[in-house]
């Protein structure tokens, strides 16, 4: 798997909460993409949810368990939530990606673009 394989906008909607994972552009000269991860909406208890990070995705690192760690540099976030800042690609299909969060949760996203 290469970085350009995950280029695009990926979305998950679950119980009023939207999660977007966006590799906004890919620069083949430097082999990196700019990314944005956003969680927003209103949860089942009526609480507003908003969290975001952005950074430079510089590599996909192959792991022995067949996942790929997404290496992110220069990350800037609204609050420090390591569970969302350390991501692995657990599975990739044409229009579906499953990301494994640092806490072990696996979240399925659909490709928008």
């Amino acid at each position: 798997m290469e970085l350009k394989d995950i280029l695009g906008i990926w979305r998950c909607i679950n119980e009023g909460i939207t999660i977007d994972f966006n590799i906004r552009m890919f620069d083949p000269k430097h082999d990196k993409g700019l990314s944005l991860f956003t969680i927003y909406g209103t949860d089942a208890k009526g609480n507003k949810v908003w969290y975001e990070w952005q950074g430079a995705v510089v590599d996909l690192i192959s792991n022995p368990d067949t996942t790929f760690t997404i290496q992110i540099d220069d990350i800037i976030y609204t609050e420090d939530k390591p569970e969302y800042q350390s991501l692995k690609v657990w599975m990739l299909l044409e229009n579906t990606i499953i990301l494994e969060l640092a806490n072990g949760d696996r979240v399925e996203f659909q490709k928008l673009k």
Side-chain angles (χ1 to χ4, degrees):
M1 182 180 308
E2 297 178 25
L3 184 56
K4 64 183 178 181
D5 296 333
I6 63 171
L7 183 68
I9 300 170
W10 304 87
R11 176 168 285 170
C12 171
I13 300 174
N14 187 11
E15 297 181 13
I17 303 295
T18 300
I19 305 172
D20 287 337
F21 177 61
N22 183 352
I23 304 292
R24 296 186 300 230
M25 60 191 254
F26 177 73
D27 178 357
K29 183 176 179 182
H30 298 101
D31 200 31
K32 73 177 180 180
L34 298 178
S35 62
L36 177 67
F37 186 94
T38 307
I39 302 174
Y40 57 94
T42 305
D43 69 13
K45 296 179 181 177
N47 299 314
K48 297 278 185 193
V49 175
W50 184 74
Y51 167 76
E52 178 178 282
W53 66 250
Q54 44 188 316
V57 176
V58 295
D59 201 4
L60 291 176
I61 301 166
S62 180
N63 299 310
D65 64 358
T66 70
T67 62
F68 290 83
T69 298
I70 301 172
Q71 182 180 344
I72 304 160
D73 286 348
D74 305 321
I75 192 166
I76 301 168
Y77 43 77
T78 55
E79 54 185 297
D80 192 12
K81 293 191 173 212
E83 66 270 29
Y84 302 125
Q85 298 162 12
S86 178
L87 305 173
K88 290 182 182 178
V89 177
W90 190 76
M91 184 181 78
L92 177 64
L93 301 172
E94 185 175 340
N95 292 311
T96 303
I97 190 171
I98 297 178
L99 297 180
E100 183 176 316
L101 308 179
N103 64 4
D105 289 350
R106 293 181 182 146
V107 181
E108 182 176 318
F109 292 79
Q110 301 301 312
K111 190 168 190 174
L112 299 180
K113 292 185 187 182

